[in-house]
Amino acid sequence: MEKVLSGIRSTGQLHLGNYFGALRNFVKLQHEKECYFFIANVHALTTHNDPVQLRESVKSVLTEYIACGLDPDVAAIYIQSDLPETYELYTLLNMLAYKGELEKTVSFKEKARKSPNNVNAGLLTYPVLMAADILIHRAHKVPVGKDQEQHLEMARNFAQRFNHRYEEDFFPEPFAFNFGDELVKVPGLDGNGKMGKSEGVNNAIFLRDDDQTIQKKVMKAKTDGGPQSENSEKPEEIKNLFTLLNLVSNTDTVQFFEDKWNDCGIRYGDLKKQLAQDMINFVTPIREKIVDLEQNDALLQKIARRVLKKPVQVLM
Ligand code: AMP
């Protein structure tokens, strides 16, 4: 059976970008494939180093995984640091990864630009550890958002080099996966770029946000002066609002606002009110499950400490 592996860094609360880019697919895939989903607490160390926050974040992501529908009886859910064989493979793969290609990685350049005082070696070799996470399970499919496409390409390169040097077909080539045709990029609310955990307080809608917070953030979302002619191209910030509407609203609602845009009758206040309401409807049941689970620490501990249900083939 095909194997699936993916993870999310424990660097803060999860948002709609994590849900629609990754988690939604985890939940579907767990019933179809042999699935491994982890909490990437070692990857988190590349940018976050407060030990207390790190522990809290692992628990928080685990809670959010379960609240979104991941089932520890169906998929293997684990914490990255609980599978130390990953680091063994990471060391071996590091000998096959070249400084030049790592320095050219978009995510590395972006993080180095944002935090010039913390350009650590772990940040540079992030794609190698990610490849080890995937290849240790010999996974075929990796459900991730569009921002991870380049990392998957690198994982394939490392797998090929390993196979070529040591043993043909030892590792399968892993591919980024989404149930739709294309990988997803969920935009933020501030007009440009993707929704992210640390892109400013009003950029992301978190799965734990209450109704009022969602409403406030959406109403503050960037818009323009409105369409100047019928059937015109939408500017980036308006396109983003429609992308979000497409994710949480029904097709009639989306069509209604598309028509309003096309005949220049759109009122952004109405669009935002509807978007906020549909986001609230979407987030509320997840938030309620998170709150429920947080009252049940014993259950969370039990899930977290469970050894991998399916034995990992120890490599080498
Ligand atoms: P991270 O929070 O960077 O560890 O990302 C965890 C997963 O969520 C990865 O598969 C990302 O591709 C996905 N993800 C994060 N933000 C977004 C976004 N704005 N749109 C789509 N996918 C996202």
Side-chain angles (χ1 to χ4, degrees), residues 148-199:
Q148 297 295 323
E149 212 167 18
Q150 189 180 28
H151 291 163
L152 261 296
E153 193 185 324
M154 295 172 86
R156 284 194 294 281
N157 286 340
F158 302 147
Q160 278 167 6
R161 285 176 206 163
F162 187 102
N163 292 351
H164 184 67
R165 189 166 299 175
Y166 299 113
E167 189 178 321
E168 276 310 307
D169 299 327
F170 190 78
F171 289 124
E173 285 183 27
F175 285 89
F177 177 80
N178 178 43
F179 273 100
D181 293 338
E182 285 182 14
L183 298 179
V184 173
K185 175 186 161 189
V186 177
L189 285 165
D190 51 6
N192 51 42
K194 63 167 191 154
M195 188 173 283
K197 291 188 193 117
S198 46
E199 306 294 327

Side-chain angles (χ1 to χ4, degrees), residues 46-58:
T46 56
T47 51
H48 291 60
N49 51 24
D50 180 308
V52 178
Q53 265 181 16
L54 276 166
R55 268 195 211 101
E56 277 171 11
S57 256
V58 167

Side-chain angles (χ1 to χ4, degrees), residues 245-257 274 278:
L245 198 69
N246 260 293
L247 292 171
V248 294
S249 305
N250 63 39
T251 44
D252 288 349
T253 304
V254 177
Q255 195 53 54
F256 174 83
F257 285 105
Q274 184 70 49
D278 290 339

Side-chain angles (χ1 to χ4, degrees), residues 8 13-26 143-147 184-188 194-197 203-207 244 247-248 279 282-283:
I8 297 185
Q13 298 182 8
L14 303 192
H15 48 72
L16 290 179
N18 296 125
Y19 183 84
F20 287 107
L23 258 170
R24 173 172 65 167
N25 289 328
F26 298 4
V144 283
K146 188 149 182 62
D147 57 324
V184 173
K185 175 186 161 189
V186 177
K194 63 167 191 154
M195 188 173 283
K197 291 188 193 117
N203 165 280
I205 299 291
F206 294 99
L207 302 177
L244 292 166
L247 292 171
V248 294
M279 282 180 166
F282 182 82
V283 165

Side-chain angles (χ1 to χ4, degrees), residues 15-191:
H15 48 72
L16 290 179
N18 296 125
Y19 183 84
F20 287 107
L23 258 170
R24 173 172 65 167
N25 289 328
F26 298 4
V27 174
K28 267 189 173 181
L29 281 163
Q30 68 182 340
H31 300 293
E32 298 177 10
K33 311 273 181 210
E34 182 176 326
C35 287
Y36 298 86
F37 299 119
F38 68 102
I39 297 164
N41 61 340
V42 182
H43 281 295
L45 289 170
T46 56
T47 51
H48 291 60
N49 51 24
D50 180 308
V52 178
Q53 265 181 16
L54 276 166
R55 268 195 211 101
E56 277 171 11
S57 256
V58 167
K59 196 168 145 194
S60 154
V61 173
L62 178 65
T63 310
E64 289 163 334
Y65 271 6
I66 309 292
C68 286
L70 277 193
D71 181 350
D73 288 330
V74 178
I77 299 171
Y78 67 98
I79 298 167
Q80 191 179 21
S81 56
D82 282 345
L83 187 59
E85 290 85 350
T86 311
Y87 316 143
E88 289 179 28
L89 181 56
Y90 166 63
T91 305
L92 297 176
L93 294 178
N94 263 326
M95 316 308 167
L96 302 168
Y98 298 102
K99 180 171 161 271
E101 66 185 335
L102 295 171
E103 280 172 343
K104 274 194 270 174
T105 314
V106 173
S107 61
F108 171 72
K109 287 199 288 195
E110 214 176 277
K111 284 178 180 154
R113 186 177 48 79
K114 274 189 192 161
S115 307
N117 296 325
N118 187 27
V119 187
N120 58 71
L123 202 60
L124 183 68
T125 55
Y126 190 107
V128 187
L129 181 57
M130 181 164 158
D133 293 322
I134 300 166
L135 299 177
I136 193 84
H137 297 289
R138 292 192 164 103
H140 305 85
K141 285 193 163 67
V142 185
V144 283
K146 188 149 182 62
D147 57 324
Q148 297 295 323
E149 212 167 18
Q150 189 180 28
H151 291 163
L152 261 296
E153 193 185 324
M154 295 172 86
R156 284 194 294 281
N157 286 340
F158 302 147
Q160 278 167 6
R161 285 176 206 163
F162 187 102
N163 292 351
H164 184 67
R165 189 166 299 175
Y166 299 113
E167 189 178 321
E168 276 310 307
D169 299 327
F170 190 78
F171 289 124
E173 285 183 27
F175 285 89
F177 177 80
N178 178 43
F179 273 100
D181 293 338
E182 285 182 14
L183 298 179
V184 173
K185 175 186 161 189
V186 177
L189 285 165
D190 51 6

